[in-house]
Amino acid sequence: MAKNFQQIMDEARKEIKELSVQQVKDLLERNGKHLLLDVREGEEYRSGHLEGAVSLPRGFLEIKVESAVPDKATPIIAYCAGGVRSLLAAKAMKEMGYQNIISMSGGYTAWKTAGYKWVQDHQFTPEQATRYSRHFLLPEVGEQGQAKLLQAKVLMVGAGGLGSPSAYYLAAAGVGTLGIIDNDVVDLSNLQRQILHSNDRIGMAKTESAKQTIQALNPDVRVIPYQEKLTSQNIMGIIKDYDIIVDGCDNFPTRYLVNDACFMAKKPNVHGSIFQFEGQASVFYPGNGPCYRCLYPEPPPPDMAPSCQEAGVLGVLPGLIGVIQALETIKLILGKGDTLVGKLLCFNTLTMEINTLNLKRDPTCPLCGEKPTIKSLIDYEEFCGLRH
Ligand SMILES: [Zn+2]
């Protein structure tokens, strides 16, 4: 026998517990364990919602709820605008095995009318909503994650082989502020791998070329160019304004400088390095794992450490490693996934072997060990045997 709407609602009320907004507020204050599930449309959620609520529009509920809430014993409070959609959503979820679900009667409208706390997420322009739509679809990113990316400040050390792909993807992803430090100009021999630059920019400062490419890709990104060499004198003043430092440098003095400064400033350092066909990546996160000096206490003698200019490099390799650096940076910003903190990823492009080694902090490390001897920045050219 066909049921009318009233009969469907009456049935749902028999099966699903409803609480008033006052009761929900009391329950949340007594025990914060309930998952708040907002089943309204995305547009409604964006205009304001309960703090911490997960958005799962009614139309996608059955399709998405099992990945969003895998544990069917999770205590859940569902709400919509007025209490009807959430009641029906709760009934559908109960039929799927969710054992502990409550519907908030009166919904968000009653909650707001009662004067209880609500929050509004970052407001995206229509263009941003389209640009980042594929991120919005991922529960691990979503609108909140995208807002974090737009608010993030990342410093790229170098706009060369590693910095190019890394900055390009960070810009595409909507990382809102990208500082880029590089004192070099674009050279024809760079273009085999440094994809931020182009033929018509030979002779232009790399920072300026990088800025033009990034802004053509995504005008949301503010590029702050530093057309200078990173030194012991300027590094602390520059990195203090950034959340994460991406090290795409091509020489040992700068690598040790970035490592030491990031440790002293307590900033995560997303490391990448390349040699011919092999690359490495890691994340050195002060207080959460080893630093670069734990791995390599001493730099190699200068004649054992040829640069790309001297030893050559496969153009795709810095692309791979730089993109891994961008990926790690995005995960750090989002606070999602397992990062390369305490791990060294080694990529051999000739054999296609990828190994991830576990790293431990070295208690004898002169920087982050138990009895540190390096307490301020040093002369890194001298340390690397480059000053005669
Ligand atoms: Zn260390």
CSV table of all heavy atoms in Angstrom, one decimal, residues 190-239:
chain,number,residue,atom,x,y,z
A,190,ASN,N,68.8,25.6,-18.6
A,190,ASN,CA,67.9,25.3,-17.5
A,190,ASN,C,66.6,24.6,-18.0
A,190,ASN,O,65.9,23.9,-17.3
A,190,ASN,CB,67.4,26.5,-16.7
A,190,ASN,CG,68.5,27.3,-16.1
A,190,ASN,OD1,68.4,28.5,-16.0
A,190,ASN,ND2,69.6,26.7,-15.7
A,191,LEU,N,66.2,24.9,-19.3
A,191,LEU,CA,64.9,24.7,-19.8
A,191,LEU,C,64.6,23.2,-20.0
A,191,LEU,O,63.4,22.8,-20.2
A,191,LEU,CB,64.6,25.5,-21.0
A,191,LEU,CG,64.8,27.0,-20.9
A,191,LEU,CD1,64.4,27.7,-22.2
A,191,LEU,CD2,63.8,27.5,-19.8
A,192,GLN,N,65.6,22.4,-19.9
A,192,GLN,CA,65.4,20.9,-20.1
A,192,GLN,C,64.7,20.4,-18.8
A,192,GLN,O,64.2,19.3,-18.9
A,192,GLN,CB,66.8,20.3,-20.2
A,192,GLN,CG,67.0,18.8,-20.0
A,192,GLN,CD,67.8,18.6,-18.7
A,192,GLN,OE1,67.8,19.5,-17.8
A,192,GLN,NE2,68.4,17.4,-18.6
A,193,ARG,N,64.6,21.1,-17.8
A,193,ARG,CA,63.9,20.6,-16.6
A,193,ARG,C,63.2,21.7,-15.7
A,193,ARG,O,62.3,21.4,-15.0
A,193,ARG,CB,64.9,19.9,-15.6
A,193,ARG,CG,66.0,20.8,-15.2
A,193,ARG,CD,67.2,20.1,-14.7
A,193,ARG,NE,68.3,21.0,-14.2
A,193,ARG,CZ,69.1,21.7,-15.0
A,193,ARG,NH1,69.0,21.5,-16.3
A,193,ARG,NH2,69.9,22.6,-14.6
A,194,GLN,N,63.5,23.0,-15.9
A,194,GLN,CA,63.0,24.0,-15.0
A,194,GLN,C,61.7,24.6,-15.6
A,194,GLN,O,61.7,25.6,-16.3
A,194,GLN,CB,64.0,25.0,-14.7
A,194,GLN,CG,65.3,24.4,-14.0
A,194,GLN,CD,66.3,25.4,-13.6
A,194,GLN,OE1,66.1,26.6,-13.6
A,194,GLN,NE2,67.5,24.8,-13.3
A,195,ILE,N,60.6,23.9,-15.5
A,195,ILE,CA,59.4,24.1,-16.3
A,195,ILE,C,58.6,25.4,-15.9
A,195,ILE,O,57.7,25.7,-16.6
A,195,ILE,CB,58.4,22.9,-16.2
A,195,ILE,CG1,58.0,22.6,-14.7
A,195,ILE,CG2,59.0,21.7,-16.8
A,195,ILE,CD1,56.9,21.7,-14.6
A,196,LEU,N,59.1,26.2,-14.9
A,196,LEU,CA,58.5,27.5,-14.7
A,196,LEU,C,58.9,28.5,-15.7
A,196,LEU,O,58.3,29.5,-15.9
A,196,LEU,CB,58.8,28.0,-13.3
A,196,LEU,CG,58.1,27.4,-12.1
A,196,LEU,CD1,58.7,28.0,-10.8
A,196,LEU,CD2,56.6,27.7,-12.1
A,197,HIS,N,60.0,28.2,-16.3
A,197,HIS,CA,60.7,29.2,-17.2
A,197,HIS,C,60.5,28.8,-18.7
A,197,HIS,O,60.1,27.7,-19.0
A,197,HIS,CB,62.1,29.3,-16.9
A,197,HIS,CG,62.4,29.4,-15.4
A,197,HIS,ND1,61.8,30.4,-14.6
A,197,HIS,CD2,63.1,28.6,-14.5
A,197,HIS,CE1,62.2,30.2,-13.4
A,197,HIS,NE2,62.9,29.2,-13.3
A,198,SER,N,60.7,29.8,-19.6
A,198,SER,CA,60.5,29.5,-21.0
A,198,SER,C,61.6,30.2,-21.8
A,198,SER,O,62.3,31.1,-21.4
A,198,SER,CB,59.1,29.9,-21.4
A,198,SER,OG,58.9,31.3,-21.0
A,199,ASN,N,61.6,29.8,-23.1
A,199,ASN,CA,62.6,30.3,-24.1
A,199,ASN,C,62.6,31.8,-24.1
A,199,ASN,O,63.7,32.4,-24.2
A,199,ASN,CB,62.2,29.8,-25.4
A,199,ASN,CG,63.4,29.2,-26.2
A,199,ASN,OD1,64.3,28.8,-25.6
A,199,ASN,ND2,63.3,29.3,-27.5
A,200,ASP,N,61.4,32.5,-24.1
A,200,ASP,CA,61.4,33.9,-24.2
A,200,ASP,C,61.8,34.7,-23.0
A,200,ASP,O,61.8,35.9,-22.9
A,200,ASP,CB,60.0,34.4,-24.7
A,200,ASP,CG,58.9,34.0,-23.7
A,200,ASP,OD1,59.2,33.1,-22.9
A,200,ASP,OD2,57.8,34.5,-23.8
A,201,ARG,N,62.2,33.9,-21.9
A,201,ARG,CA,62.6,34.6,-20.7
A,201,ARG,C,64.1,34.4,-20.4
A,201,ARG,O,64.5,34.6,-19.2
A,201,ARG,CB,61.7,34.0,-19.5
A,201,ARG,CG,60.3,34.2,-19.8
A,201,ARG,CD,59.5,34.3,-18.5
A,201,ARG,NE,58.1,34.2,-18.7
A,201,ARG,CZ,57.3,33.4,-18.1
A,201,ARG,NH1,57.7,32.6,-17.2
A,201,ARG,NH2,56.0,33.3,-18.4
A,202,ILE,N,64.8,33.9,-21.3
A,202,ILE,CA,66.3,33.7,-21.1
A,202,ILE,C,66.9,35.1,-20.7
A,202,ILE,O,66.6,36.1,-21.3
A,202,ILE,CB,66.9,33.1,-22.3
A,202,ILE,CG1,66.5,31.6,-22.5
A,202,ILE,CG2,68.5,33.2,-22.2
A,202,ILE,CD1,66.8,31.0,-23.8
A,203,GLY,N,67.6,35.1,-19.6
A,203,GLY,CA,68.2,36.3,-19.1
A,203,GLY,C,67.4,37.0,-18.0
A,203,GLY,O,67.9,37.8,-17.3
A,204,MET,N,66.1,36.6,-17.9
A,204,MET,CA,65.2,37.2,-16.9
A,204,MET,C,65.5,36.6,-15.5
A,204,MET,O,65.9,35.4,-15.4
A,204,MET,CB,63.7,36.9,-17.2
A,204,MET,CG,62.7,37.6,-16.3
A,204,MET,SD,61.0,37.0,-16.7
A,204,MET,CE,60.7,38.0,-18.2
A,205,ALA,N,65.3,37.3,-14.4
A,205,ALA,CA,65.5,36.7,-13.1
A,205,ALA,C,64.5,35.6,-12.9
A,205,ALA,O,63.3,35.7,-13.3
A,205,ALA,CB,65.2,37.8,-12.0
A,206,LYS,N,65.0,34.5,-12.3
A,206,LYS,CA,64.1,33.3,-12.2
A,206,LYS,C,62.9,33.6,-11.3
A,206,LYS,O,61.8,33.0,-11.5
A,206,LYS,CB,64.9,32.1,-11.6
A,206,LYS,CG,65.8,31.5,-12.6
A,206,LYS,CD,66.4,30.2,-12.0
A,206,LYS,CE,67.4,29.6,-13.0
A,206,LYS,NZ,68.1,28.4,-12.4
A,207,THR,N,63.1,34.4,-10.3
A,207,THR,CA,62.0,34.8,-9.4
A,207,THR,C,60.9,35.5,-10.2
A,207,THR,O,59.7,35.2,-10.0
A,207,THR,CB,62.4,35.7,-8.3
A,207,THR,OG1,63.2,36.8,-8.8
A,207,THR,CG2,63.3,34.9,-7.3
A,208,GLU,N,61.3,36.4,-11.1
A,208,GLU,CA,60.3,37.1,-11.9
A,208,GLU,C,59.6,36.2,-12.9
A,208,GLU,O,58.4,36.2,-13.1
A,208,GLU,CB,61.0,38.3,-12.6
A,208,GLU,CG,60.1,39.1,-13.6
A,208,GLU,CD,58.8,39.6,-13.0
A,208,GLU,OE1,58.8,39.9,-11.7
A,208,GLU,OE2,57.8,39.8,-13.7
A,209,SER,N,60.4,35.3,-13.5
A,209,SER,CA,59.8,34.3,-14.5
A,209,SER,C,58.9,33.4,-13.8
A,209,SER,O,57.8,33.1,-14.3
A,209,SER,CB,61.0,33.5,-15.1
A,209,SER,OG,60.5,32.4,-15.8
A,210,ALA,N,59.2,32.9,-12.6
A,210,ALA,CA,58.4,32.1,-11.8
A,210,ALA,C,57.1,32.8,-11.4
A,210,ALA,O,56.0,32.2,-11.5
A,210,ALA,CB,59.1,31.6,-10.5
A,211,LYS,N,57.2,34.0,-11.1
A,211,LYS,CA,56.0,34.8,-10.7
A,211,LYS,C,55.0,34.9,-11.9
A,211,LYS,O,53.8,34.7,-11.7
A,211,LYS,CB,56.4,36.2,-10.2
A,211,LYS,CG,55.3,37.0,-9.7
A,211,LYS,CD,55.8,38.3,-9.1
A,211,LYS,CE,54.6,39.2,-8.7
A,211,LYS,NZ,55.0,40.4,-8.0
A,212,GLN,N,55.6,35.2,-13.0
A,212,GLN,CA,54.7,35.3,-14.2
A,212,GLN,C,54.0,34.0,-14.5
A,212,GLN,O,52.8,34.0,-14.8
A,212,GLN,CB,55.5,35.8,-15.4
A,212,GLN,CG,56.0,37.2,-15.3
A,212,GLN,CD,56.8,37.7,-16.6
A,212,GLN,OE1,56.7,37.0,-17.6
A,212,GLN,NE2,57.5,38.8,-16.4
A,213,THR,N,54.7,32.9,-14.5
A,213,THR,CA,54.1,31.6,-14.8
A,213,THR,C,53.0,31.2,-13.8
A,213,THR,O,52.0,30.8,-14.1
A,213,THR,CB,55.2,30.5,-14.8
A,213,THR,OG1,56.2,30.9,-15.7
A,213,THR,CG2,54.6,29.1,-15.2
A,214,ILE,N,53.4,31.4,-12.5
A,214,ILE,CA,52.4,31.1,-11.5
A,214,ILE,C,51.2,31.9,-11.5
A,214,ILE,O,50.0,31.4,-11.4
A,214,ILE,CB,53.1,31.1,-10.1
A,214,ILE,CG1,54.1,30.0,-10.0
A,214,ILE,CG2,52.1,31.1,-8.9
A,214,ILE,CD1,55.1,30.1,-8.8
A,215,GLN,N,51.3,33.2,-11.7
A,215,GLN,CA,50.1,34.1,-11.8
A,215,GLN,C,49.3,33.8,-13.0
A,215,GLN,O,48.1,34.0,-12.9
A,215,GLN,CB,50.5,35.5,-11.6
A,215,GLN,CG,51.0,35.7,-10.1
A,215,GLN,CD,51.3,37.1,-9.7
A,215,GLN,OE1,51.6,37.9,-10.5
A,215,GLN,NE2,51.2,37.3,-8.4
A,216,ALA,N,49.9,33.4,-14.1
A,216,ALA,CA,49.1,33.0,-15.3
A,216,ALA,C,48.3,31.7,-15.0
A,216,ALA,O,47.2,31.5,-15.5
A,216,ALA,CB,50.0,32.8,-16.5
A,217,LEU,N,48.9,30.8,-14.1
A,217,LEU,CA,48.2,29.6,-13.8
A,217,LEU,C,47.0,29.8,-12.8
A,217,LEU,O,45.9,29.4,-12.9
A,217,LEU,CB,49.2,28.6,-13.2
A,217,LEU,CG,48.6,27.3,-12.6
A,217,LEU,CD1,48.0,26.4,-13.7
A,217,LEU,CD2,49.7,26.5,-11.9
A,218,ASN,N,47.4,30.6,-11.7
A,218,ASN,CA,46.4,30.8,-10.6
A,218,ASN,C,46.5,32.1,-10.0
A,218,ASN,O,47.4,32.3,-9.1
A,218,ASN,CB,46.6,29.6,-9.6
A,218,ASN,CG,45.5,29.7,-8.6
A,218,ASN,OD1,44.7,30.6,-8.5
A,218,ASN,ND2,45.5,28.7,-7.7
A,219,PRO,N,45.6,33.0,-10.3
A,219,PRO,CA,45.7,34.4,-9.7
A,219,PRO,C,45.4,34.4,-8.2
A,219,PRO,O,45.7,35.5,-7.6
A,219,PRO,CB,44.7,35.2,-10.5
A,219,PRO,CG,43.8,34.2,-11.2
A,219,PRO,CD,44.6,32.9,-11.3
A,220,ASP,N,45.0,33.3,-7.7
A,220,ASP,CA,44.8,33.3,-6.2
A,220,ASP,C,46.1,33.4,-5.4
A,220,ASP,O,46.1,33.6,-4.2
A,220,ASP,CB,44.1,32.0,-5.8
A,220,ASP,CG,42.6,32.0,-6.1
A,220,ASP,OD1,42.0,33.1,-6.3
A,220,ASP,OD2,42.0,30.9,-6.0
A,221,VAL,N,47.2,33.0,-6.1
A,221,VAL,CA,48.4,32.8,-5.4
A,221,VAL,C,49.2,34.1,-5.4
A,221,VAL,O,49.4,34.8,-6.4
A,221,VAL,CB,49.3,31.7,-6.1
A,221,VAL,CG1,50.6,31.5,-5.3
A,221,VAL,CG2,48.5,30.4,-6.2
A,222,ARG,N,49.6,34.5,-4.2
A,222,ARG,CA,50.4,35.7,-4.0
A,222,ARG,C,51.9,35.2,-4.0
A,222,ARG,O,52.3,34.4,-3.2
A,222,ARG,CB,50.1,36.4,-2.7
A,222,ARG,CG,50.8,37.7,-2.5
A,222,ARG,CD,50.2,38.4,-1.3
A,222,ARG,NE,50.4,37.7,0.0
A,222,ARG,CZ,51.2,38.2,0.9
A,222,ARG,NH1,51.7,39.4,0.8
A,222,ARG,NH2,51.4,37.6,2.0
A,223,VAL,N,52.7,35.7,-5.0
A,223,VAL,CA,54.1,35.3,-5.1
A,223,VAL,C,54.9,36.4,-4.5
A,223,VAL,O,54.8,37.6,-4.9
A,223,VAL,CB,54.5,35.0,-6.6
A,223,VAL,CG1,56.0,34.7,-6.7
A,223,VAL,CG2,53.6,33.8,-7.2
A,224,ILE,N,55.8,36.0,-3.6
A,224,ILE,CA,56.7,37.0,-3.0
A,224,ILE,C,58.1,36.6,-3.5
A,224,ILE,O,58.7,35.6,-3.0
A,224,ILE,CB,56.6,37.0,-1.5
A,224,ILE,CG1,55.2,37.3,-1.1
A,224,ILE,CG2,57.6,38.1,-0.9
A,224,ILE,CD1,54.9,37.4,0.4
A,225,PRO,N,58.7,37.4,-4.4
A,225,PRO,CA,60.0,37.1,-5.0
A,225,PRO,C,61.1,37.6,-4.1
A,225,PRO,O,61.0,38.7,-3.6
A,225,PRO,CB,60.0,37.7,-6.4
A,225,PRO,CG,59.0,38.8,-6.3
A,225,PRO,CD,58.1,38.6,-5.1
A,226,TYR,N,62.2,36.8,-3.9
A,226,TYR,CA,63.4,37.3,-3.2
A,226,TYR,C,64.5,37.1,-4.2
A,226,TYR,O,65.0,35.9,-4.4
A,226,TYR,CB,63.7,36.5,-1.9
A,226,TYR,CG,62.6,36.6,-0.9
A,226,TYR,CD1,61.5,35.7,-0.9
A,226,TYR,CD2,62.6,37.6,0.1
A,226,TYR,CE1,60.5,35.8,0.0
A,226,TYR,CE2,61.6,37.6,1.1
A,226,TYR,CZ,60.5,36.7,1.0
A,226,TYR,OH,59.6,36.8,2.0
A,227,GLN,N,64.9,38.2,-4.9
A,227,GLN,CA,66.0,38.0,-5.9
A,227,GLN,C,67.3,38.2,-5.2
A,227,GLN,O,68.0,39.3,-5.3
A,227,GLN,CB,65.7,39.1,-7.0
A,227,GLN,CG,66.8,39.3,-8.0
A,227,GLN,CD,67.0,38.1,-8.9
A,227,GLN,OE1,66.2,37.2,-9.0
A,227,GLN,NE2,68.2,38.1,-9.5
A,228,GLU,N,67.7,37.2,-4.4
A,228,GLU,CA,68.9,37.4,-3.6
A,228,GLU,C,69.4,35.9,-3.2
A,228,GLU,O,68.6,35.0,-3.4
A,228,GLU,CB,68.7,38.2,-2.3
A,228,GLU,CG,67.6,37.7,-1.4
A,228,GLU,CD,67.2,38.7,-0.3
A,228,GLU,OE1,68.0,38.9,0.5
A,228,GLU,OE2,66.0,39.1,-0.4
A,229,LYS,N,70.6,35.9,-2.7
A,229,LYS,CA,71.1,34.6,-2.3
A,229,LYS,C,70.7,34.4,-0.8
A,229,LYS,O,70.8,35.3,0.0
A,229,LYS,CB,72.7,34.6,-2.4
A,229,LYS,CG,73.4,33.3,-2.2
A,229,LYS,CD,74.9,33.5,-2.5
A,229,LYS,CE,75.7,32.5,-1.8
A,229,LYS,NZ,75.4,31.1,-2.0
A,230,LEU,N,70.3,33.2,-0.5
A,230,LEU,CA,70.0,32.9,0.9
A,230,LEU,C,71.3,32.7,1.7
A,230,LEU,O,72.2,32.0,1.3
A,230,LEU,CB,69.2,31.6,0.9
A,230,LEU,CG,68.3,31.3,2.2
A,230,LEU,CD1,67.3,32.4,2.4
A,230,LEU,CD2,67.6,29.9,2.0
A,231,THR,N,71.4,33.5,2.8
A,231,THR,CA,72.6,33.5,3.6
A,231,THR,C,72.3,33.3,5.1
A,231,THR,O,71.1,33.5,5.5
A,231,THR,CB,73.4,34.8,3.4
A,231,THR,OG1,72.6,35.8,4.0
A,231,THR,CG2,73.7,35.1,1.9
A,232,SER,N,73.3,33.1,5.9
A,232,SER,CA,73.2,33.1,7.3
A,232,SER,C,72.6,34.4,7.8
A,232,SER,O,72.0,34.4,8.9
A,232,SER,CB,74.5,32.8,8.0
A,232,SER,OG,75.1,31.6,7.5
A,233,GLN,N,72.9,35.5,7.1
A,233,GLN,CA,72.4,36.8,7.5
A,233,GLN,C,70.9,37.0,7.3
A,233,GLN,O,70.2,37.7,8.1
A,233,GLN,CB,73.2,37.9,6.8
A,233,GLN,CG,74.6,38.1,7.4
A,233,GLN,CD,75.6,37.0,7.0
A,233,GLN,OE1,75.6,36.5,5.9
A,233,GLN,NE2,76.3,36.5,8.0
A,234,ASN,N,70.4,36.6,6.1
A,234,ASN,CA,69.0,36.9,5.8
A,234,ASN,C,68.0,35.8,6.1
A,234,ASN,O,66.8,36.1,6.1
A,234,ASN,CB,68.9,37.4,4.3
A,234,ASN,CG,69.3,36.3,3.3
A,234,ASN,OD1,69.4,35.1,3.7
A,234,ASN,ND2,69.5,36.7,2.1
A,235,ILE,N,68.5,34.6,6.3
A,235,ILE,CA,67.5,33.4,6.3
A,235,ILE,C,66.5,33.5,7.4
A,235,ILE,O,65.3,33.3,7.2
A,235,ILE,CB,68.3,32.1,6.3
A,235,ILE,CG1,67.2,30.9,6.0
A,235,ILE,CG2,69.0,31.8,7.6
A,235,ILE,CD1,67.8,29.6,5.7
A,236,MET,N,66.9,33.9,8.6
A,236,MET,CA,66.0,33.9,9.7
A,236,MET,C,64.9,34.9,9.5
A,236,MET,O,63.7,34.7,9.8
A,236,MET,CB,66.7,34.1,11.1
A,236,MET,CG,67.7,33.0,11.5
A,236,MET,SD,67.1,31.3,11.4
A,236,MET,CE,66.3,31.1,12.9
A,237,GLY,N,65.3,36.1,9.0
A,237,GLY,CA,64.3,37.1,8.7
A,237,GLY,C,63.3,36.7,7.6
A,237,GLY,O,62.1,37.2,7.6
A,238,ILE,N,63.7,35.9,6.7
A,238,ILE,CA,62.8,35.5,5.6
A,238,ILE,C,61.9,34.3,6.0
A,238,ILE,O,60.7,34.4,5.9
A,238,ILE,CB,63.7,35.1,4.3
A,238,ILE,CG1,64.4,36.3,3.8
A,238,ILE,CG2,62.7,34.5,3.3
A,238,ILE,CD1,65.4,36.0,2.6
A,239,ILE,N,62.5,33.3,6.7
A,239,ILE,CA,61.6,32.1,7.0
A,239,ILE,C,60.6,32.4,8.1
A,239,ILE,O,59.7,31.7,8.2
A,239,ILE,CB,62.5,30.8,7.3
A,239,ILE,CG1,63.3,31.0,8.6
A,239,ILE,CG2,63.4,30.5,6.1
A,239,ILE,CD1,64.0,29.6,8.9
